[in-house]
Amino acid sequence: MKIDDEIGDTRWLGRPPRPTDSELVCPAVAQAMLGFASETRWLRFVRSRLGAMLPYVPKQPGWNKRLRAALPLLERAIRLLATDTDFWFDNHWIIDSAPVECGRSRPTVKRSDLAGWAGYGYCGSRSRFFRGLRLYLVRTPTGMPILWALANPKLDEREVLTAMLDREPDAVTDRPGLLLIADKGFASRQFEADLALRGAQLLRPSFKREKRRTGEPLLKSVRQLIESVNATLKGQLDLEQHGGRTFEGVAVRVAQRVLALAAAIWHNHKTAQPVMRSLIAYDH
């Protein structure tokens, strides 16, 4: 397996951790693909069904502690899979955000350790407010994740995307003629001028008062693609049932699901499957 080969050779000065990095990241991907939102249920399943492959599995507190500390490993694995496909060189990116709800009741909000990170936002697709974070995902038309971030839903979408591009400037400059496809929330002359300085162009729907923008008729099919990727994250990968109660907990559980999406697309690409984003072969 690609992940096991790439991160399984980590060397330690002292006693190696149990489980090893690959024995942690690979089951984390499987947990998301198989739909185990509960870590306790997942560890029972691992001990009863996967004991031969994973001889040592910590108890739930130890697993949770290791998993929360493994966020950089999951981020590294996402990038490894993306760069090992032809999709990494695609100069068409799609940017969209999805709500990551972290509690509804007032007592939950008051007791939450996400104070200062989570906030109240509005979900247009469901016409309701929510409390939590927003997942910003930059991906190729096939759905392969390129950049991702969690942010307070009150933050301006353009500010979040600018910060994501500032963090990895080479990702844009290495792609001449990059086209970013987004919705009306990213409309801004200043934002488009900033993208132009980076060598990128923004394609978005026009407002009623605006002249029809070049390439706008293609956005209808792109909107359907965006919604289908969001449906995969929410429906098959249980994005909304992450169960995180701290920022680290939410971040690593979202990373699990983004990595599972990347792993499915990578494997489908390598095995020449007709549908790149299909998870049917892996969710049972």
Side-chain angles (χ1 to χ4, degrees), residues 9 18 26 51 83 90 101 111 113 129 136 153 165 168 179 210 239 243 248 251 257 270:
D9 59 350
R18 297 179 66 193
C26 292
T83 54
D90 200 321
E101 192 170 14
R111 295 195 305 266
D113 291 330
F129 288 91
Y136 288 84
L165 298 179
E168 297 193 47
L179 182 66
E210 287 184 306
L239 178 65
E248 294 82 5
R257 287 148 176 84
K270 294 297 182 181

Side-chain angles (χ1 to χ4, degrees), residues 114-135:
L114 288 165
W117 294 97
Y120 285 97
Y122 184 74
C123 177
S125 61
R126 297 189 177 181
S127 303
R128 64 175 175 82
F129 288 91
F130 70 95
R131 183 186 182 275
L133 301 161
R134 273 196 175 277
L135 169 62

Side-chain angles (χ1 to χ4, degrees), residues 94-110:
I94 299 173
I95 171 67
D96 192 45
S97 64
V100 180
E101 192 170 14
C102 300
R104 295 186 183 182
S105 68
R106 191 65 180 171
T108 300
V109 171
K110 290 182 177 180

Side-chain angles (χ1 to χ4, degrees), residues 14-169:
R15 181 179 179 181
R18 297 179 66 193
T20 64
D21 290 343
S22 62
E23 289 175 340
L24 179 75
V25 176
C26 292
V29 175
Q31 179 186 355
M33 284 188 171
L34 294 175
F36 283 88
S38 167
E39 288 183 349
T40 302
R41 288 184 58 212
W42 167 244
L43 293 177
R44 284 203 304 266
F45 176 84
V46 170
R47 292 189 184 97
S48 63
R49 304 287 184 88
L50 306 178
M53 292 186 290
L54 298 171
Y56 174 78
V57 181
K59 294 183 179 179
Q60 196 272 336
W63 173 269
N64 184 269
K65 183 178 179 180
R66 279 293 308 279
L67 190 62
R68 283 188 284 115
L71 180 59
L73 281 175
L74 269 62
E75 293 175 333
R76 178 186 167 194
I78 294 169
R79 180 56 54 87
L80 282 170
L81 295 177
T83 54
D84 193 43
T85 65
D86 298 336
F87 310 134
W88 176 254
F89 304 100
D90 200 321
N91 65 348
H92 289 68
W93 285 357
I94 299 173
I95 171 67
D96 192 45
S97 64
V100 180
E101 192 170 14
C102 300
R104 295 186 183 182
S105 68
R106 191 65 180 171
T108 300
V109 171
K110 290 182 177 180
R111 295 195 305 266
S112 174
D113 291 330
L114 288 165
W117 294 97
Y120 285 97
Y122 184 74
C123 177
S125 61
R126 297 189 177 181
S127 303
R128 64 175 175 82
F129 288 91
F130 70 95
R131 183 186 182 275
L133 301 161
R134 273 196 175 277
L135 169 62
Y136 288 84
L137 189 61
V138 178
R139 54 185 179 266
T140 65
T142 56
M144 176 60 78
I146 303 295
L147 304 171
W148 70 280
L150 287 169
N152 189 299
K154 293 184 180 298
L155 292 177
D156 190 287
E157 294 178 320
R158 293 159 294 192
E159 293 181 4
V160 176
L161 180 56
T162 299
M164 293 168 67
L165 298 179
D166 286 341
R167 185 179 179 185
E168 297 193 47

Side-chain angles (χ1 to χ4, degrees), residues 257-271:
R257 287 148 176 84
V258 176
L259 176 54
L261 177 64
I265 295 173
W266 175 86
H267 190 267
N268 289 337
H269 172 65
K270 294 297 182 181
T271 55

